[in-house]
Amino acid sequence: MASNSPAPEGIELQETPGAGAWGEWNPTEDSARSLRGKHRVLKPRGGLARSSTVLGVGVIAAVGAGGIATAQDRPQVAISVPSIPDLLGGGDHSATAGAQADSVALPRQADGQQDRQGVRNQGHADAGEALRHRILQQAESQQDAAEAQARAAAEQAARESAAQEARTRQEAADKEAEAVRAAAEKAAAEKAAAEQAAAAGQATAKGAADTGSGGGSVKASGGWSLPTSSYTLTSHYGDSGSMWSSGHHTGLDFAAPTGTPVKAVGGGTVVSAGWSGAYGYRIVLRLADGTEVWYCHLSSMAVTSGSVGAGETIGRVGATGNVTGAHLHLEVRIGGSTVDPLAWLTARGLDV
């Protein structure tokens, strides 16, 4: 482009040459009118003015923007010539003109830089995408490993729970079986003891002999037996005195040494055995017809429950409760009322 600034007097400007036919114009002190103020006139350096320098920079920039191609291989670029005032204006204006000339070549150079920058950006984008892909694959792999570990832990916990439950059921079954065995053994032992006791009672009843001493021997008659042996009758039924709470004696006393065996007078069931106040240790034997026979002041009790046979030892003579000496207090109760034991035993064929 041609400058629009007016030309100074005495200077004739040439028309702007066409593309590819550039001329060189170097103003001198003679051809340039002096300006007011402090301005310096450009002097030629090495035979070239700043305009030729600007022109050379533009050509070099145009050639460099095309790589190894020559300036003639590229389209012609229009370069504007700075105006004379700008040339005469000093270093600042010259620098401005140089910057404007350089700006002409910069777009060409910028195009190449942008191409190279685009290639680098594309490379960075590809590398970033590959990195992102690797990170996603690693995250998925870690997530799969965590899920597999969680599943394995859950399966292990389930197996342990099932095993614990099986052990608990087995322990419960073992305890139940042990309880059943213990109950069976206890029942068998009780049955054997009862059978042994019954056999012993029957043998005692059959083998008992009369030892005399005022009828103090054990006698058996028709399945009945005297309550003890080696005894002496001391107090009879109906005797009165201050020793008895009712004012009269309600039983029959068999005086005998402590520890003398006490026998069942007939077959029946022991319904009560234990401490009974003034009676001391007492055993209540209920016969088949409902008659109750009380054995009182015992030193010990051999049978506390269950069935017994006539003549079977159920306890020992003692001196417990309200007594003055060792003896067996025998009471016979029918329908809850006492009867004379001596008459009752005699009526059953026993020689008391």
Side-chain angles (χ1 to χ4, degrees):
M1 294 176 58
S3 176
N4 295 326
S5 300
E9 296 180 359
I11 298 177
E12 182 179 358
L13 295 179
Q14 298 179 355
E15 293 182 0
T16 303
W22 290 96
E24 183 177 355
W25 176 74
N26 294 319
T28 60
E29 291 180 354
D30 297 332
S31 61
R33 184 175 56 182
S34 60
L35 302 177
R36 296 180 179 179
K38 294 181 179 181
H39 298 281
R40 61 187 180 87
V41 178
L42 297 178
K43 295 182 179 180
R45 296 180 180 178
L48 294 176
R50 284 190 181 271
S51 60
S52 61
T53 302
V54 173
L55 178 59
V57 171
V59 173
I60 293 173
V63 174
I68 61 173
T70 60
Q72 295 178 355
D73 296 333
R74 294 287 184 174
Q76 296 296 329
V77 178
I79 300 176
S80 60
V81 178
S83 61
I84 293 176
D86 292 336
L87 294 176
L88 300 179
D92 293 337
H93 293 284
S94 298
T96 301
Q100 290 177 352
D102 292 341
S103 64
V104 176
L106 288 178
R108 294 288 186 178
Q109 185 177 5
D111 290 342
Q113 293 177 351
Q114 288 178 358
D115 293 340
R116 290 189 295 273
Q117 184 65 31
V119 173
R120 286 194 296 270
N121 292 340
Q122 181 63 31
H124 292 326
D126 294 341
E129 181 64 21
L131 178 60
R132 186 181 70 85
H133 184 66
R134 288 197 298 272
I135 292 174
L136 291 177
Q137 285 183 338
Q138 184 177 2
E140 291 176 358
S141 177
Q142 292 177 353
Q143 183 176 0
D144 293 341
E147 292 177 355
Q149 185 176 4
R151 286 194 299 270
E155 293 175 357
Q156 181 65 22
R159 287 193 296 269
E160 292 179 355
S161 178
Q164 180 63 31
E165 185 176 358
R167 287 193 296 269
T168 302
R169 288 197 299 267
Q170 184 63 36
E171 290 175 358
D174 293 342
K175 289 181 180 179
E176 185 177 358
E178 182 64 23
V180 171
R181 285 194 298 269
E185 292 176 357
K186 181 178 180 181
E190 291 178 351
K191 183 178 180 180
E195 292 176 352
Q196 183 178 2
Q202 292 175 359
T204 301
K206 292 178 181 179
D210 187 4
T211 60
S213 181
S217 63
V218 175
K219 295 181 180 180
S221 175
W224 299 96
S225 175
L226 289 174
T228 188
S229 61
S230 302
Y231 62 87
T232 300
L233 298 177
T234 56
S235 296
H236 292 75
Y237 180 79
D239 290 348
S240 61
S242 60
M243 293 181 60
W244 302 293
S245 60
S246 61
H248 65 278
H249 194 222
T250 57
L252 182 64
D253 289 347
F254 297 78
T258 297
T260 302
V262 175
K263 313 292 183 176
V265 296
T269 303
V270 176
V271 295
S272 178
W275 183 261
S276 184
Y279 287 107
Y281 285 108
R282 181 190 68 174
I283 293 176
V284 177
L285 173 64
R286 181 177 295 163
L287 303 179
D289 61 357
T291 301
E292 290 185 353
V293 182
W294 291 14
Y295 301 83
C296 305
H297 308 303
L298 301 176
S299 61
S300 64
M301 299 176 292
V303 180
T304 58
S305 64
S307 300
V308 295
E312 182 179 347
T313 300
I314 60 175
R316 301 283 177 175
V317 174
T320 58
N322 186 15
V323 297
T324 57
H327 71 281
L328 169 65
H329 174 82
L330 184 73
E331 285 190 13
V332 178
R333 292 174 176 259
I334 299 175
S337 300
T338 61
V339 297
D340 185 1
L342 180 59
W344 186 85
L345 292 172
T346 302
R348 282 154 180 77
L350 297 174
D351 186 7
V352 182

